[in-house]
């Protein structure tokens, strides 16, 4: 066997190896959920200074406000950890309220590959509800109190 044929075989093996690796990587990526945008809704009279879902920072929200999105995080797991800092307004401070740090374990609602927004709703009584959506709409938007059950899409 001459030198040229050996080099030609090595080149074919290298090309085949790279192609196989690329195909395996694409197959693996297609089985994983895409990254998510966190979208906050605050249904309480206390501002949210900061919040995170599974350590992915989501931003903040004014009292009875929200609508801010942060991008892009991988949010996975059957149960998600939501941590937030409840801030205070000046009148609340004068009434003796102080900042509070809270953590809740919340079930991760069902998600499809089209769902790119995780809506994080903060309700009175330190209740948190989550909702996946392909857009900025959430079934919990107009609620004043946390629903007893998760709303299905």
């Amino acid at each position: 066997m001459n030198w040229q044929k050996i080099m030609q075989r090595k080149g074919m093996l290298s090309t085949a190896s790279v192609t196989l690796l690329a195909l395996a990587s694409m197959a693996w990526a297609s089985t994983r959920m895409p990254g998510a945008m966190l979208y906050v809704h605050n249904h309480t009279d206390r501002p949210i200074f900061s919040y995170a879902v599974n350590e992915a920072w989501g931003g903040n929200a004014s009292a009875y406000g929200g609508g801010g999105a942060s991008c892009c995080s991988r949010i996975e797991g059957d149960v998600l950890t939501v941590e937030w800092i409840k801030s205070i307004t000046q009148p609340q401070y004068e009434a003796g309220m102080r900042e509070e740090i809270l953590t809740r374990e919340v079930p991760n609602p069902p998600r499809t590959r089209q769902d790119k927004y995780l809506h994080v709703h903060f309700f009175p009584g330190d209740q948190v509800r989550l909702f996946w959506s392909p857009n900025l709409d959430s079934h919990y938007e107009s609620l004043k109190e946390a629903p007893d059950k998760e709303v299905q899409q």
Side-chain angles (χ1 to χ4, degrees):
M1 200 182 280
N2 68 25
W3 181 251
Q4 193 174 23
K5 285 185 179 184
I6 292 172
M7 291 308 290
Q8 190 176 22
R9 267 197 193 145
K10 281 187 177 181
M12 287 175 29
L13 282 174
S14 294
T15 301
S17 296
V18 169
T19 301
L20 184 60
L21 186 60
L23 289 172
S25 175
M26 288 181 354
W28 175 78
S30 70
T31 64
R32 295 183 51 115
M33 283 289 187
M37 287 190 233
L38 297 175
Y39 197 83
V40 65
H41 306 265
N42 185 5
H43 304 266
T44 74
D45 64 347
R46 302 266 309 261
I48 305 293
F49 177 74
S50 180
Y51 82 98
V53 177
N54 282 7
E55 298 183 357
W57 183 73
N60 56 29
S62 61
Y64 299 111
S70 64
C71 184
C72 294
S73 303
R74 184 160 304 283
I75 306 294
E76 297 176 317
D78 293 334
V79 176
L80 305 179
T81 302
V82 180
E83 300 172 275
W84 73 103
I85 301 171
K86 286 174 31 176
S87 191
I88 48 176
T89 63
Q90 186 63 36
Q92 290 167 337
Y93 179 82
E94 291 167 0
M97 288 181 154
R98 296 297 179 259
E99 191 174 89
E100 297 175 62
I101 300 173
L102 300 157
T103 302
R104 294 287 181 272
E105 300 291 318
V106 183
N108 189 359
R111 181 183 185 193
T112 67
R113 287 193 63 74
Q114 291 75 34
D115 294 334
K116 60 183 177 181
Y117 294 95
L118 178 59
H119 295 266
V120 183
H121 290 265
F122 295 96
F123 287 102
D126 301 329
Q127 297 291 310
V128 178
R129 296 294 184 271
L130 304 175
F131 184 79
W132 285 104
S133 170
N135 53 43
L136 298 176
D137 297 327
S138 170
H139 293 297
Y140 298 147
E141 282 181 82
S142 60
L143 300 179
K144 303 276 188 243
E145 299 288 328
D148 291 333
K149 294 182 179 179
E150 298 289 331
V151 174
Q152 300 299 316
Q153 291 180 335

